[in-house]
Amino acid sequence: MSEVIALGKAGAAIRTANDAGRGALVAYLPAGYPSYDGGIDAIKALVDGGADVLEIGFPYSDPVMDGVTVQRASEAALAAGLRTRDVLSTVEKLASYSDVPVLVMTYWNPIERYGVDRFAADLAGAGGAGLITPDLIPDEGAEWIASADKHDLDKVFLVSPSSTDERIRMTTAACRGFVYATAVMGVTGTREKPSDLAAPLVARTKAATGVPVGVGLGVSNADQAAGVAAFADAVIVGSAFVKVVEAGEGPAGVRRLTESLAEGVRREPSTAASR
Amino acid sequence: MSTVLPDQLGHFGRFGGRFMPEALIAPLDELTRAWQEAMADPEFTGEFDRMLREYAGVPSLLYDATRLSEAAGARILLKREDLNHTGAHKVRNALGQALLTKRMGKTRVIAETGAGQHGVATATACAYLDLECVVYMGEVDTERQALNVARMKLLGAEVISVKTGSRTLKDAINDALRDWVASVDKTHYILGTAAGAHPFPAMVRDFVRGIGDEARAQSLELLGRLPDAAVASVGGGSNAIGLFAAFIPDAEVKLYGIEPGGDGFETGRHAATISAGQVGVLHGARSFLLQDEDGQTIESHSISAGLDYPGVGPEHAWLADTGRASYRPITDAEAMEAFRLLSRTEGIIPAIESAHAVAGALDIAKELGPEATILVNLSGRGDKDMDTASKWFGLIDAPEAGRE
Ligand SMILES: Cc1ncc(COP(=O)(O)O)c(C=O)c1O
């Protein structure tokens, strides 16, 4: 761990899991769903069930990277009146609940509207670990990168099966925390079959960086999580949790799924641990 | 081919760029390369010109609208894009991008549509060039533009009614982007306006800039000089940038973009993005947009489905910012008055989108005075709008409103 690798807060948590010979579990739920308080309770259940890193989704009116499950949840949260300050206070409540790092996953416009540096300052003040930015590429990210560095925040950018090696190099060089590798060409949502694009993408990404690599899009159960943990440092799960909340299974249901996934990432020794 | 802007990453000053998922960046790079190579290849540009000429009926006429001029109190020239095949300027862009799709070896096309004009133009281009075609259209728009839905289906396109969000154009774009990210291997997304991520704003502009190039030459021939002003409606901005592009270097030609003022500016129910919006990011580019305090997109309102969009192309944001063009709203009521006026004085029934430009020109005529010559982009014809117009003017006795 002495290399100059931009582990940041999320990366340190992921490496702790990897050092214990397993993959890390990164768990996503949107703020404000099914209600403001209900959202906080659901996210706490992710912690209780054993998530290593939290991703709090920032509901947005035009979520082009999301499938119907997250779209519906975002619409519901906004219709119920969720504001930017509520996302920040959700972060604050989760950050004080445990030591699990709390990232915010957000489309770019709400951050730009709030003021990039002001958001970075308030996120850091709330105890947040950083941002995952699905529609901000480092090419357009100079302002965010400067603010994140100033406020000691993680910057998680995405790489995709379509990314060239050159783009992977450039993108991973801008990442701190982890690199978000999207397993499929497509939007968020649970999928029956694991993607065969993920493993080669992780290999290409690892060739470019020592920053941990998390794989997301489509993972929904323990078997899939175990499969991904065999080649990635972290397994990212989102829509599957949203579906549990949507089905009205509450924090208990969220906790059950988290525990099951946490068992999955422990099933096979993570190759990442032997780096 | 293109004017100096945008820069390599698609920026018009502080506007434009690429705010897109990484998955689409390599495909957008590939598209940029393919488009630039095509535009430098005489075989491609020659075929595009031939298609426009032999198939689309381009160059469109420049028409000296003398009776409308009398009513307006200044000389009004109409660029008759309504006479193009499929009835609007949109066919230029659709043919250009469909030809590019072929060149890239892709077999499937997706498109979004608001008024249905771009959907019809794309379905037409796909029928003509033998491409599979899927059009995303907001559910609200499928209802108010039912005729165009039927046209697209007849042309062999699949029309997907989008039921998320405000169920209008912006949501159709969202769903088209979701399709594209999963299908980009074989699919080209023919975006219908000069907005979105680089290279779309510049590429669409270059495919439609014939409007202004032709009108400029036609004005010189007709008047021996350039017009004093050029006026166009602004939805996403394609017909306006198509008209403006040729005139941007002509400082003496004033450029006016007419935005949809809906129920009136004060009511908040409008789609006047530049006049009333703030800088932000939507659908892949930084530009002006209608948004709330938290950066959530606000639903727009306009009687014109083709103008009912809370964003606008980045080059217009730049033209507004630099003062080269000015943008102002026209209400639904003013547009419908102009719709009737043009119909009665010239026997031309315009698209309601284009009627906004005519209404804007009536105001501008008063400001510039009787010596002025004003070029107006009549971007489309009004057949698709007869249902809306009939209701607005009470032209057809609606049975449900009939007396007992
Ligand atoms: C006839 C006509 N004019 C104008 C527009 C507005 O689009 P744009 O601003 O891209 O020209 C449309 C869009 O459907 C249209 O059909």
Side-chain angles (χ1 to χ4, degrees):
Chain A
M1 293 269 271
S2 61
E3 319 135 76
V4 254
I5 287 171
L7 285 185
K9 294 160 185 148
I14 292 169
R15 283 293 180 239
T16 299
N18 296 160
D19 289 345
R22 63 175 179 90
L25 176 63
V26 178
Y28 166 99
L29 273 174
Y33 185 72
S35 62
Y36 177 75
D37 289 334
I40 290 166
D41 290 342
I43 301 167
K44 283 181 177 172
L46 297 173
V47 176
D48 299 344
D52 298 296
V53 174
L54 294 178
E55 268 184 38
I56 295 182
F58 191 146
Y60 176 55
S61 53
D62 295 276
V64 295
M65 261 289 283
D66 284 302
V68 284
T69 304
V70 175
Q71 280 176 52
R72 271 202 302 267
S74 304
E75 264 186 53
L78 292 174
L82 188 85
R83 302 288 312 267
T84 298
R85 58 172 174 269
D86 302 322
V87 176
L88 285 166
S89 67
T90 298
V91 170
E92 188 163 28
K93 293 199 163 93
L94 268 303
S96 59
Y97 183 68
S98 79
D99 291 335
V100 175
V102 182
L103 296 162
V104 172
M105 178 143 184
T106 182
Y107 290 91
W108 190 239
N109 196 53
I111 306 305
E112 193 157 300
R113 185 77 170 128
Y114 193 88
V116 176
D117 197 60
R118 180 175 162 230
F119 191 88
D122 289 358
L123 180 64
L131 289 185
I132 303 170
T133 49
D135 65 348
L136 184 72
I137 53 175
D139 321 48
E140 299 282 358
E143 194 183 359
W144 159 237
I145 290 168
S147 290
D149 293 348
K150 180 169 139 198
H151 298 284
D152 191 25
L153 293 168
D154 291 353
K155 305 157 284 184
V156 178
F157 293 101
L158 277 58
V159 294
S160 151
S162 63
S163 303
T164 59
D165 288 342
E166 190 191 335
R167 283 203 62 81
I168 288 177
R169 252 194 314 280
M170 184 278 291
T171 301
T172 55
C175 284
R176 193 190 97 170
F178 66 97
V179 182
Y180 192 128
T182 54
V184 295
M185 289 297 288
V187 295
T188 60
T190 57
R191 285 171 175 83
E192 300 269 298
K193 203 167 78 63
S195 156
D196 51 7
L197 298 175
L201 173 61
V202 170
R204 288 202 294 140
T205 307
K206 284 179 166 291
T209 184
V211 177
V213 182
V215 168
L217 295 201
V219 181
S220 61
N221 60 41
D223 289 347
Q224 291 174 340
V228 170
F231 61 84
D233 304 314
V235 181
I236 307 165
V237 181
S239 296
F241 288 118
V242 180
K243 280 189 171 167
V244 167
V245 175
E246 192 174 35
E249 292 173 34
V254 171
R255 182 173 176 153
R256 262 195 309 279
L257 177 59
T258 314
E259 285 169 350
S260 161
L261 290 160
E263 180 273 314
V265 298
R266 282 167 172 80
R267 229 182 264 170
E268 293 190 34
S270 167
T271 54
S274 60
R275 290 188 60 83
Chain B
M1 253 295 164
S2 56
T3 43
V4 195
L5 288 172
D7 70 13
Q8 279 224 312
L9 294 170
H11 297 111
F12 301 86
R14 63 184 169 131
F15 302 106
R18 271 185 191 161
F19 295 81
M20 275 279 141
E22 169 65 20
L24 286 173
I25 300 301
L28 287 166
D29 279 339
E30 182 201 320
L31 176 62
T32 306
R33 248 188 329 271
W35 159 60
Q36 284 169 346
E37 283 168 16
M39 294 309 258
D41 178 355
E43 208 173 305
F44 179 88
T45 52
E47 177 61 5
F48 180 46
D49 286 346
R50 187 200 63 76
M51 281 162 50
L52 286 176
R53 201 173 55 244
E54 294 178 9
Y55 183 68
V58 160
S60 60
L61 300 174
L62 185 70
Y63 171 69
D64 203 348
T66 51
R67 293 199 61 222
L68 178 67
S69 299
E70 229 169 85
R75 187 171 184 183
I76 304 222
L77 305 178
L78 299 177
K79 180 61 174 163
R80 297 289 309 275
E81 290 292 298
D82 60 315
L83 297 178
N84 296 351
H85 181 43
T86 71
H89 71 286
K90 301 269 182 193
V91 72
R92 296 178 186 257
N93 172 48
L95 285 173
Q97 287 198 55
L99 189 61
L100 188 59
T101 305
K102 280 287 213 199
R103 185 182 166 102
M104 291 187 294
K106 297 191 175 186
T107 54
R108 179 175 176 264
V109 157
I110 56 173
E112 85 297 339
T113 197
Q117 280 312 114
H118 173 61
V120 167
T122 303
T124 300
C126 288
Y128 181 69
L129 292 173
D130 189 22
L131 292 161
E132 184 189 342
C133 180
V134 175
V135 179
Y136 289 89
M137 188 170 189
E139 190 181 33
V140 170
D141 293 333
T142 60
E143 285 159 12
R144 59 180 164 176
Q145 305 284 331
L147 176 66
N148 273 342
V149 175
R151 290 168 81 194
M152 287 183 270
K153 287 183 176 167
L154 193 63
L155 290 160
E158 181 188 351
V159 180
I160 297 180
S161 169
V162 176
K163 297 179 171 64
T164 53
S166 60
R167 295 175 296 131
T168 58
L169 183 55
K170 91 174 169 69
D171 309 285
I173 294 176
N174 291 344
D175 263 11
L177 285 169
R178 291 180 187 120
D179 179 318
W180 203 32
V181 91
S183 66
V184 66
D185 259 5
K186 294 201 173 60
T187 301
H188 176 59
Y189 177 13
I190 302 193
L191 188 70
T193 191
H198 181 61
F200 283 104
M203 180 173 70
V204 173
R205 173 196 67 202
D206 285 359
F207 283 137
V208 297
R209 66 167 295 147
I211 302 168
D213 288 335
E214 294 162 20
R216 193 175 183 284
Q218 289 163 325
S219 298
L220 286 173
E221 192 173 324
L222 180 74
L223 311 168
R225 63 177 184 88
L226 296 176
D228 301 294
V231 184
S233 67
V234 181
S238 70
N239 89 88
I241 206 67
L243 181 70
F244 293 174
F247 295 101
I248 289 172
D250 303 315
E252 70 274 27
V253 181
K254 296 186 171 69
L255 305 176
Y256 296 93
I258 308 300
E259 299 200 301
D263 288 349
F265 212 54
E266 344 55 71
T267 67
R269 288 178 52 84
H270 59 75
T273 312
I274 295 177
S275 311
Q278 302 88 21
V279 175
V281 168
L282 178 67
H283 292 148
R286 183 177 287 116
S287 185
F288 287 96
L289 62 118
L290 300 180
Q291 55 182 322
D292 70 13
E293 242 182 287
D294 285 355
Q296 308 286 348
T297 311
I298 293 176
E299 288 180 20
S300 56
H301 295 275
S302 171
I303 193 169
S304 150
L307 303 181
D308 199 351
Y309 179 56
V312 66
E315 192 165 6
H316 287 294
W318 180 76
L319 290 171
D321 224 31
T322 58
R324 177 62 190 96
S326 63
Y327 297 81
R328 53 169 78 182
I330 280 290
T331 63
D332 287 354
E334 290 166 327
M336 293 312 288
E337 239 0 272
F339 182 93
R340 179 158 63 186
L341 179 69
L342 183 62
S343 300
R344 300 253 168 116
T345 55
E346 298 287 352
I348 297 171
I349 300 177
I352 298 177
E353 291 79 13
S354 321
H356 281 74
V358 174
L362 296 175
D363 290 343
I364 292 159
K366 291 193 195 88
E367 294 160 22
L368 299 185
E371 298 308 312
T373 298
I374 301 169
L375 169 64
V376 178
N377 194 9
L378 202 70
S379 55
R381 68 178 184 228
D383 306 37
K384 69 184 174 60
D385 295 315
M386 289 320 298
D387 194 41
T388 306
S390 299
K391 286 184 185 130
W392 182 272
F393 295 115
L395 300 180
I396 298 171
D397 295 329
E400 63 269 32
R403 276 134 271 223
E404 299 285 276

